[in-house]
Amino acid sequence: MTVISSTKNLEALSFTLIAEFDAGVERVWQVWEDPRQLERWWGPPTWPATFEQFDFQPGGRAGYYMTGPEGEKAGGWWLFTSIQAPSQLEFDDGFADDNGAPVEAMGTTHAVVTLEDLGGRTRMTINSSFESEEQMEQMVEMGMEEGMKEATGQIDAILSEHARA
Amino acid sequence: MVVDPMSDADLDRLFQAFADATRRDIVRRVTVAEYSVSGLAALYAMSFAAVQKHVAVLERASLVTKEKRGREQIVRGNHEGLQNARRLLDEYEAIWRQRVVRIADILAEG
């Protein structure tokens, strides 16, 4: 697996990451389509995600929470806006309160996931756009609370892999 | 890594500042070179006063600084304010890099 590139657009508050995987498009699609696989990678290692609701169809919603080391919970929701299996998925991503209700004040992120067949390998492009810097900050805090330190080693490994490639 | 929280008021100002195309354009320009307010006003189909207002919004959001030089007001990019937005995007990138590693682990299982 290689992270090919990432691009940040400061003015538009958007972010694009391209990664390649040694697996076919159908297989990579499953890590998005199957909530049991999705929850193994969406939350940081120390904040695993649990998807309680997963209505995988255009207009459908997903509801999840992440559980922190002290048992604290951070809720979130997705609204699937476009699903074109196995090549493209778009959804809005926002915060939820303890009851799973959307917290509108925190805004949403719009994500576009594109999977391309590279002859048995798959290129995954993630594009995320934020409504505001405040929203971005919340998003980052939520994903970062723990797990950053242990992830640093992994990131370095990816970067050195990329440097050799 | 802990994200230094900005106050809600700071964030509101920053968000407002970026929400306008002219203001984004001003930020782009003044991070590369300094401009006088009248120099900026010449670039847009709006009054000097309107441009001055945009600059004031950017100044309150800590995205630009303004200083008087003779009869002119010189506008420059505020590196620190821009760095803050950049840092947040850097950290978001780190989250996605972690996720990619974990997806690869799952795929490696077959």
Side-chain angles (χ1 to χ4, degrees):
Chain A
M1 179 277 310
T2 316
V3 171
I4 300 299
S5 71
S6 57
T7 316
K8 286 156 246 171
N9 184 333
L10 207 55
E11 279 83 15
L13 295 181
S14 73
F15 165 79
T16 304
L17 179 135
I18 300 173
E20 286 182 11
F21 299 104
D22 289 318
V25 165
E26 298 277 354
R27 178 66 191 93
V28 178
W29 182 259
Q30 285 170 11
V31 308
W32 288 95
E33 179 187 44
D34 173 4
R36 300 291 83 83
Q37 292 183 49
L38 178 59
E39 60 194 10
R40 292 177 56 196
W41 63 267
W42 180 255
T46 50
W47 282 76
T50 303
F51 280 80
E52 297 178 297
Q53 180 195 5
F54 200 76
D55 184 15
F56 195 67
Q57 57 174 319
R61 278 182 182 271
Y64 70 93
Y65 59 86
M66 301 195 292
T67 308
E70 312 291 330
E72 60 272 53
K73 286 186 164 51
W77 58 267
W78 290 0
L79 171 64
F80 299 108
T81 55
S82 170
I83 297 179
Q84 293 161 52
S87 57
Q88 199 176 56
L89 170 66
E90 289 190 41
F91 60 95
D92 293 330
D93 178 7
F95 294 90
D97 64 18
D98 293 343
N99 302 315
V103 180
E104 303 292 351
M106 288 189 182
T108 61
T109 307
H110 186 71
V112 181
V113 184
T114 308
L115 303 182
E116 288 169 86
D117 178 18
L118 302 177
R121 288 170 55 79
T122 300
R123 174 177 295 158
M124 180 175 83
T125 305
I126 303 285
N127 181 272
S128 291
S129 44
F130 300 87
E131 280 182 345
S132 68
E133 187 159 338
E134 175 180 23
Q135 198 278 322
M136 183 162 79
E137 179 138 10
Q138 298 283 358
M139 203 74 216
V140 166
E141 277 183 0
M142 197 161 169
M144 298 278 299
E145 291 228 22
E146 296 288 335
M148 242 339 272
K149 273 185 196 151
E150 56 203 277
T152 308
Q154 293 174 311
I155 293 164
D156 289 344
I158 301 166
L159 293 174
S160 62
E161 196 178 338
H162 183 50
R164 281 198 305 272
Chain B
M1 201 181 300
V2 177
V3 177
D4 237 9
M6 298 173 77
S7 76
D8 283 352
D10 286 347
L11 288 163
D12 284 349
R13 280 191 286 271
L14 202 53
F15 176 29
Q16 265 177 12
F18 271 134
D20 179 272
T22 302
R23 289 200 288 270
R24 288 196 294 273
D25 195 62
I26 292 173
V27 170
R28 263 194 297 275
R29 288 173 188 278
V30 301
T31 48
V32 187
E34 59 177 43
Y35 279 78
S36 64
V37 175
S38 47
L40 287 169
L43 298 167
Y44 307 108
M46 59 181 78
S47 67
F48 178 85
V51 170
Q52 202 161 29
K53 269 187 191 167
H54 281 314
V55 169
V57 171
L58 291 170
E59 202 181 5
R60 279 198 299 273
S62 305
L63 290 170
V64 306
T65 58
K66 198 171 70 180
E67 93 185 47
K68 275 208 165 121
R69 187 187 298 161
R71 277 190 298 179
E72 289 202 308
Q73 304 174 82
I74 303 298
V75 184
R76 286 198 192 87
N78 180 341
H79 196 62
E80 218 168 291
L82 287 164
Q83 275 300 104
N84 199 47
R86 188 187 304 278
R87 183 178 53 85
L88 286 168
L89 283 172
D90 285 346
E91 289 172 2
Y92 191 72
E93 174 185 10
I95 291 171
W96 268 106
R97 285 182 178 265
Q98 284 184 67
R99 286 175 177 161
V100 162
V101 169
R102 273 173 278 135
I103 291 174
D105 288 346
I106 295 169
L107 297 174
E109 293 171 8

